[in-house]
Each structure stands twice: as structure tokens, then as C-alpha cells.
Amino acid sequence: MPAPATAHDKADQIAVHPFENGFGCELAGLDLSQPLTQARFETWHDAFERYSVVVIRGQHFSVAQHVAFSEWFGKLEQYEDPKDQAEGFNTIIRVSNIDKYTNAIKSLDDIGHKSFTLGTSDWHTDSSFRRIPSKASLLFAREVTPEGGDTAFASTSMAWEALPEDMQQRIEHLTVVHDFEETRRRFGLPPRPPEIRAKLPPVTHPLVTNLPDGRRALLIGMHAVRVEDMEPDASRAILDELKAFATQQQFVYRHKWRVGDLVMWDNRCTMHRAMPYALERDRRLLHRTTVAGEAAA
Ligand code: OGA
Ligand code: MN
């Protein structure tokens, strides 16, 4: 006789479908308009730890619910500017070309918009310019474009694993300066006011990081501006080479958005980028929560 259904059995109805190369998975059978249970959270969390990118499709939930299930994964980063926040929640950032107040498509003369758009258009890791980079991001699609606007993800832990041993040895003790201001400068954007810059001074991170489960990953991407104690040309060459290596097809998953998709990724072992779309023609609105990182052990 079958045992009576329990909360744990319900979690078992969630199916985890890994993508082809073992990077990324889709979770089916989870309804995020319902409160999460411990068992469901554990299934989701295990999939996150194992596959680094978790796709959950066909969701309908409120901004408050987005915050609530994100908080199961840890403390959320906050966004200070009200025009970036959704419905007054300072833990949700609007990732969008739509003006919150007028509901019209933003002009590219809007420097904040331009900076965010350019800043996400090339490979990066969220908040790598902070002292403690973020742990995870949960991005939810509310309006999507008819073409373009995919998000591509690259596994920097699979890339590290695949690097030739002599390269691993050459780089494993290097440290890298990350600086958002430098990213802006590279795109020809004006410097931000000194009081803002003072809050986010350049930071240094190891080039090769350690995850709690023993995996290692490359921490590179757009905000990585130079390897410490290295000539600028050599430094640029090594960062470019690693980026090219890590973004080869076998380490990449490209997500084509549908309304109702939630995609969560592990910032400790991935990079991502927004693919181009008709910025001044097609509406795109996503909401993101970001789980803060923990200090390295
Ligand atoms: C982000 C980001 C990519 C995209 O929200 O952190 O990089 O496709 N977004 O909008
Ligand atoms: Mn990002």
C-alpha cells in the first residue's frame, strides 16, 4: 500500500531536467505563487548548487512573492534609487528599457539607462566590483522582445576545470582589480559624482575563487580591469584570453525569454551577458533580486 502523501513527496513532484552539457537545468512542477516549503526549497537549492543556472518557466507571482522566495537563499542586496525599484521594494531592481514613471521606452540619452545597458551587454558577474560579489541573481521576465534580448550564461567553473594544467598553475595565485568606474570609462560615459564613487572604490579579488563544495572558478568579466602587479598589456592579454576560453560554446547556455520565465544563476561560478535587441523599439521588462554573497572563508 502506498504511504500517505507528505510535504516531502510533494517536493518529489518537482522534476529537474539538466541541459545537455551539464550546465544549467530546468525545474518543472514548481508553482512560485505558492509559499515555498522546506522540501521544495531544498530541491531547488540542490539544483542551483549542482547546475549553476536554474530555469523555471510559466510562473505568475507578485513582486512581494519574488522577494519572499528569493530570501530563502539569503540576504538580498538593496537598490537605493527609487526609479530602479519595483513597487517600492528596494530589493528588486527593474532591468528594463521602460521608464517606470511614464511607461514609455527610455531614450538612450538617459545616462543611467545607457550605463546599465552597456554594463550588462558584455560578459560580467553581478557586483564583482563590490567587496563581496553577489551570490545569486533571480531574474523574472514580465515583458519580452519579439527578437533578440536573450541572456547568455557561461560556466567559469567548467572553464577552470578544462584549462590546461600549466595555465591553471600560472594563474591560480593572481589577484584582479574590479572597478565599475573603469567599465563606464571604457564605454566613454562620464564619471559618476565623487560621493557615489567613494562608496564603490576599486576592489581586489582572487582570479581563481573557491566554492564551499571545493569547486574552483574564474572571477573575470567586464568589471575586471587589471591583474595586480602585471604590465598593462600582459594583464589585458590574460584577461581577454581567459574570457575567450570561458565563453566557448561548450560552457555556454543561452536563454531565450518567454513571459513568466524565472532564471536564477550562481554568480560565484558563472558570467552572463544580455544579447542585443531593438532598445528603442521593443519593450523589455525584467525584475531581478540579488542574493548577497558571503565573505570568503
Ligand atoms: C542582470 C543582467 C541581463 C539581461 O540583470 O544582471 O545582466 O539579459 N541582465 O538583461
Ligand atoms: Mn548582470
Side-chain angles (χ1 to χ4, degrees):
M1 201 170 67
T6 63
H8 191 258
D9 291 331
K10 277 196 189 138
D12 291 341
Q13 292 166 13
I14 300 175
V16 182
H17 303 291
F19 299 150
E20 232 165 81
N21 53 3
F23 174 49
C25 70
E26 182 167 347
L27 276 195
L30 195 57
D31 175 357
L32 295 173
S33 69
Q34 300 300 312
L36 220 47
T37 60
Q38 185 65 31
R40 288 177 196 162
F41 167 70
E42 281 170 17
T43 303
W44 183 356
H45 189 255
D46 288 350
F48 165 76
E49 290 284 347
R50 183 156 176 181
Y51 299 109
S52 307
V53 176
V54 178
V55 174
I56 308 174
R57 294 206 188 253
Q59 299 299 310
H60 299 270
F61 50 72
S62 67
V63 168
Q65 285 169 324
H66 189 169
V67 171
F69 62 70
S70 300
E71 281 176 335
W72 279 74
F73 291 91
K75 197 172 174 320
L76 304 184
E77 289 182 8
Q78 300 190 353
Y79 302 95
E80 283 171 22
D81 192 336
K83 76 174 175 346
D84 295 333
Q85 303 168 354
E87 292 177 23
F89 282 87
N90 66 0
T91 47
I92 296 232
I93 181 168
R94 298 172 81 258
V95 175
S96 187
N97 62 340
I98 303 168
D99 186 287
K100 174 176 167 181
Y101 302 110
T102 64
N103 199 32
I105 290 188
K106 289 181 190 172
S107 154
L108 281 177
D109 299 337
D110 175 336
I111 297 289
H113 174 47
K114 195 167 172 187
S115 153
F116 189 88
T117 302
L118 291 171
T120 55
S121 67
D122 198 359
W123 293 103
H124 66 281
T125 295
D126 289 338
S127 303
S128 79
F129 48 83
R130 292 182 195 275
R131 198 172 58 76
I132 302 177
S134 56
K135 177 177 180 180
S137 301
L138 296 96
L139 189 61
F140 181 58
R142 294 192 178 272
E143 288 189 57
V144 302
T145 53
E147 56 195 62
D150 297 354
T151 308
F153 298 90
S155 171
T156 54
S157 54
M158 287 170 86
W160 161 260
E161 280 288 317
L163 275 176
E165 216 175 300
D166 61 330
M167 183 63 161
Q168 288 184 333
Q169 283 169 3
R170 225 174 94 209
I171 67 169
E172 71 178 332
H173 299 298
L174 299 178
T175 52
V176 175
V177 177
H178 293 245
D179 184 1
F180 187 70
E181 201 53 39
E182 178 66 27
T183 301
R184 283 179 65 110
R185 204 171 314 155
R186 214 178 306 150
F187 286 121
L189 294 167
R192 291 166 308 163
E195 63 277 14
I196 305 261
R197 272 186 285 160
K199 279 192 192 163
L200 283 175
V203 294
T204 303
H205 298 303
L207 173 55
V208 184
T209 57
N210 295 297
L211 276 82
D213 65 2
R215 276 180 301 157
R216 308 194 76 190
L218 301 168
L219 180 49
I220 47 177
M222 179 163 44
H223 313 304
V225 293
R226 62 183 173 83
V227 179
E228 277 194 315
D229 304 323
M230 200 181 269
E231 291 298 319
D233 288 351
S235 161
R236 197 26 52 215
I238 207 160
L239 291 174
D240 287 349
E241 182 183 345
L242 290 173
K243 181 170 104 170
F245 185 87
T247 55
Q248 296 174 90
Q249 208 178 331
Q250 68 266 34
F251 310 128
V252 169
Y253 164 67
R254 184 164 168 161
H255 187 74
K256 189 154 188 45
W257 291 98
R258 293 182 219 148
V259 170
D261 288 354
L262 177 80
V263 179
M264 176 182 193
W265 63 89
D266 190 337
N267 281 305
R268 302 167 306 176
C269 56
T270 64
M271 295 189 279
H272 59 279
R273 69 185 297 193
M275 304 309 290
Y277 67 96
L279 262 179
E280 293 190 284
R281 186 193 72 198
D282 293 335
R283 295 168 64 88
R284 185 176 192 260
L285 173 64
L286 301 107
H287 282 173
R288 190 182 91 206
T289 51
T290 315
V291 181
E294 292 135 27

